[in-house]
Short mmCIF file of all heavy atoms in Angstrom, two decimals:
data_model
loop_
_atom_site.label_atom_id
_atom_site.label_comp_id
_atom_site.label_asym_id
_atom_site.label_seq_id
_atom_site.Cartn_x
_atom_site.Cartn_y
_atom_site.Cartn_z
N HIS A 310 27.08 87.92 129.02
CA HIS A 310 26.56 88.59 130.31
C HIS A 310 27.57 88.24 131.42
O HIS A 310 28.01 87.08 131.48
CB HIS A 310 25.21 87.98 130.67
CG HIS A 310 24.17 88.26 129.71
ND1 HIS A 310 23.45 89.43 129.65
CD2 HIS A 310 23.57 87.49 128.75
CE1 HIS A 310 22.52 89.42 128.72
NE2 HIS A 310 22.58 88.24 128.11
N ILE A 311 27.84 89.15 132.27
CA ILE A 311 28.79 88.98 133.38
C ILE A 311 28.10 89.30 134.66
O ILE A 311 27.56 90.44 134.79
CB ILE A 311 30.06 89.81 133.23
CG1 ILE A 311 30.73 89.52 131.89
CG2 ILE A 311 31.02 89.56 134.36
CD1 ILE A 311 31.89 90.45 131.58
N VAL A 312 28.02 88.34 135.56
CA VAL A 312 27.26 88.58 136.82
C VAL A 312 28.21 88.40 137.96
O VAL A 312 28.83 87.25 138.21
CB VAL A 312 26.09 87.52 136.97
CG1 VAL A 312 25.30 87.81 138.21
CG2 VAL A 312 25.17 87.62 135.79
N PHE A 313 28.43 89.44 138.74
CA PHE A 313 29.21 89.30 139.98
C PHE A 313 28.40 89.14 141.18
O PHE A 313 27.15 89.30 141.15
CB PHE A 313 30.13 90.66 140.15
CG PHE A 313 31.16 90.76 139.07
CD1 PHE A 313 31.04 91.73 138.09
CD2 PHE A 313 32.27 89.91 139.12
CE1 PHE A 313 32.03 91.84 137.12
CE2 PHE A 313 33.25 90.12 138.13
CZ PHE A 313 33.14 91.06 137.14
N GLU A 314 29.00 88.87 142.28
CA GLU A 314 28.23 88.49 143.53
C GLU A 314 27.50 89.62 144.13
O GLU A 314 26.50 89.42 144.86
CB GLU A 314 29.20 87.86 144.57
CG GLU A 314 30.27 88.81 145.07
CD GLU A 314 31.20 88.14 146.03
OE1 GLU A 314 31.13 86.91 146.26
OE2 GLU A 314 32.07 88.82 146.59
N ASP A 315 27.86 90.87 143.82
CA ASP A 315 27.16 92.02 144.34
C ASP A 315 25.98 92.47 143.45
O ASP A 315 25.38 93.48 143.71
CB ASP A 315 28.13 93.19 144.63
CG ASP A 315 28.85 93.69 143.32
OD1 ASP A 315 28.73 92.98 142.35
OD2 ASP A 315 29.45 94.76 143.41
N ALA A 316 25.73 91.71 142.47
CA ALA A 316 24.61 92.08 141.53
C ALA A 316 23.26 91.76 142.20
O ALA A 316 23.17 90.99 143.09
CB ALA A 316 24.70 91.26 140.19
N THR A 317 22.28 92.50 141.72
CA THR A 317 20.92 92.17 142.11
C THR A 317 20.43 91.03 141.21
O THR A 317 20.16 91.20 140.03
CB THR A 317 19.97 93.43 141.90
OG1 THR A 317 20.48 94.49 142.71
CG2 THR A 317 18.55 93.11 142.39
N ILE A 318 20.43 89.80 141.79
CA ILE A 318 20.37 88.65 141.05
C ILE A 318 19.05 88.52 140.21
O ILE A 318 19.08 88.21 139.04
CB ILE A 318 20.49 87.39 141.86
CG1 ILE A 318 21.83 87.44 142.63
CG2 ILE A 318 20.35 86.09 141.03
CD1 ILE A 318 23.06 87.46 141.68
N ALA A 321 19.40 90.69 137.24
CA ALA A 321 20.38 90.15 136.37
C ALA A 321 19.74 89.01 135.56
O ALA A 321 20.00 88.89 134.27
CB ALA A 321 21.59 89.55 137.16
N PHE A 344 28.91 84.51 132.09
CA PHE A 344 30.06 84.44 133.03
C PHE A 344 29.46 84.82 134.41
O PHE A 344 28.95 85.90 134.60
CB PHE A 344 31.21 85.29 132.73
CG PHE A 344 31.87 84.97 131.41
CD1 PHE A 344 31.64 85.67 130.22
CD2 PHE A 344 32.81 83.89 131.31
CE1 PHE A 344 32.20 85.36 129.01
CE2 PHE A 344 33.42 83.58 130.09
CZ PHE A 344 33.14 84.26 128.99
N VAL A 345 29.59 83.92 135.41
CA VAL A 345 28.98 84.09 136.68
C VAL A 345 30.00 83.84 137.73
O VAL A 345 30.73 82.79 137.73
CB VAL A 345 27.78 83.16 136.94
CG1 VAL A 345 27.15 83.46 138.29
CG2 VAL A 345 26.76 83.35 135.84
N GLN A 346 30.18 84.81 138.73
CA GLN A 346 31.07 84.54 139.82
C GLN A 346 30.67 83.30 140.63
O GLN A 346 29.52 83.04 140.83
CB GLN A 346 31.08 85.80 140.74
CG GLN A 346 32.26 85.83 141.72
CD GLN A 346 32.46 87.16 142.36
OE1 GLN A 346 31.75 88.17 141.98
NE2 GLN A 346 33.36 87.24 143.38
N GLU A 347 31.65 82.50 141.00
CA GLU A 347 31.35 81.19 141.59
C GLU A 347 30.46 81.27 142.80
O GLU A 347 29.61 80.41 143.04
CB GLU A 347 32.67 80.51 141.98
CG GLU A 347 33.37 79.81 140.83
CD GLU A 347 34.58 79.04 141.36
OE1 GLU A 347 35.22 79.47 142.23
OE2 GLU A 347 34.87 77.98 140.80
N SER A 348 30.65 82.34 143.60
CA SER A 348 29.93 82.41 144.88
C SER A 348 28.37 82.52 144.62
O SER A 348 27.61 82.27 145.52
CB SER A 348 30.33 83.63 145.70
OG SER A 348 30.26 84.84 144.90
N VAL A 349 27.94 82.96 143.43
CA VAL A 349 26.48 83.08 143.17
C VAL A 349 26.05 82.22 142.01
O VAL A 349 24.96 82.31 141.47
CB VAL A 349 26.10 84.59 142.92
CG1 VAL A 349 26.24 85.41 144.12
CG2 VAL A 349 26.97 85.10 141.71
N VAL A 353 22.15 81.87 140.59
CA VAL A 353 21.88 82.38 139.29
C VAL A 353 21.24 81.23 138.39
O VAL A 353 20.22 81.39 137.68
CB VAL A 353 23.05 83.01 138.60
CG1 VAL A 353 22.76 83.29 137.15
CG2 VAL A 353 23.49 84.26 139.31
#
Side-chain angles (χ1 to χ4, degrees):
H310 296 281
I311 303 175
V312 183
F313 292 109
E314 62 184 5
D315 60 348
T317 304
I318 302 302
F344 296 100
V345 182
Q346 194 166 353
E347 280 186 321
S348 57
V349 291
V353 170

